[in-house]
Amino acid sequence: MNPAVVAPSLLAANHGAFAQGVRTVEEAGLTWLHVDIMDGHFVPNISFGPQVVADLRPLTKLHFDVHLMLSHPDRYVEAFAQAGAERLTVHVEADHDVAKTIAAIKSAGLSAGIAMNPDADPRRLLPYLDSVDLVLCMTVFPGFGGQSFIPSVLDSIRFIAAERAKRGASFRLEVDGGITVETGRRCREAGADTFVAGTAFFKAPDRKAFAAALTA
Ligand code: DX5
Ligand code: ZN
């Protein structure tokens, strides 16, 4: 079993002060930072690009868990590897050769993840489960922070967790979107071990306590 990890999403930090957002995550005693990259095409919102990742890299040892919400993620693997990402997750719904992109991520020396939207059939991920380090089950439709958790994704999480057990695999099972202490607990019971939290983390009055409750 993978130890539980909380990965606060930089998307919910003040975009005029990302360095402060990074410090906030470190002060909560956490080790991962979830970095949402949006192209205004795969999703209807634009966030920021590899330069932000590169500029934050020398400021912290946080593990950069980069979630690419891009129509052509394959075109940006090199840029994010150069920028200092540790992990790149790409969507099964994007316009690319998924197996090839996963191979490119790994040959750049990074951990590779595959993501699916809340309405995707989790069986679409089966061909990739033996080659990824992480599966991301989106618990909202990607594009914006602050949305409500979609409970039907719990079935997909259970399906992926069962496949992981069947294969004796050890990839992480990450959830992202609308994660609170309560929805996080439901995901954990379904088999998730990696919890992205944007709004709930940055708004928590006691962020250390929030993270502890999410992994308790
Ligand atoms: C949504 C992003 C999420 C987002 C989560 O497209 O992938 O990472 O920041 O935000 P909250 O936790 O506010 O739902
Ligand atoms: Zn994300």
Side-chain angles (χ1 to χ4, degrees), residues 25-216:
V25 174
E26 289 175 335
E27 282 160 15
L30 299 173
T31 55
W32 280 39
L33 181 73
H34 186 77
V35 183
D36 286 307
I37 308 295
M38 304 179 179
D39 66 356
H41 188 259
F42 180 71
V43 289
N45 191 14
I46 296 173
S47 58
F48 46 83
Q51 189 63 47
V52 170
V53 176
D55 287 350
L56 292 176
R57 185 68 285 172
L59 306 182
T60 183
K61 291 194 162 62
L62 289 174
H63 177 97
F64 286 171
D65 171 38
V66 177
H67 176 194
L68 296 180
M69 287 161 274
L70 308 175
S71 292
H72 299 288
D74 49 312
R75 297 180 188 168
Y76 299 92
V77 170
E78 197 49 48
F80 283 98
Q82 292 290 333
E86 268 93 6
R87 178 180 301 268
L88 289 184
T89 295
V90 296
H91 273 261
V92 71
E93 299 90 356
D95 187 7
H96 61 135
D97 180 330
V98 176
K100 236 171 145 179
T101 308
I102 290 169
I105 294 168
K106 288 162 73 171
S107 68
L110 310 186
S111 300
I114 184 78
M116 54 169 260
N117 284 342
D119 61 351
D121 183 336
R123 286 175 296 191
R124 282 186 73 182
L125 302 191
L126 291 177
Y128 313 112
L129 293 185
D130 291 329
S131 52
V132 293
D133 305 290
L134 178 144
V135 170
L136 169 53
C137 290
M138 288 303 299
T139 41
V140 298
F141 284 92
F144 299 92
Q147 303 181 75
S148 297
F149 178 80
I150 300 173
S152 57
V153 180
L154 291 166
D155 287 336
S156 300
I157 297 168
R158 280 188 278 268
F159 175 85
I160 298 291
E163 275 297 324
R164 178 172 61 180
K166 208 194 293 179
R167 294 163 192 243
S170 59
F171 56 79
R172 287 192 161 272
L173 212 172
E174 183 174 61
V175 287
D176 180 8
I179 298 301
T180 61
V181 171
E182 169 56 19
T183 59
R185 184 187 54 76
R186 293 167 72 188
C187 292
R188 190 153 188 212
E189 285 166 5
D193 51 41
T194 307
F195 305 90
V196 175
T199 309
F201 173 80
F202 281 98
K203 288 217 158 93
D206 181 342
R207 299 190 184 93
K208 258 189 195 164
F210 169 77
L214 206 44
T215 55

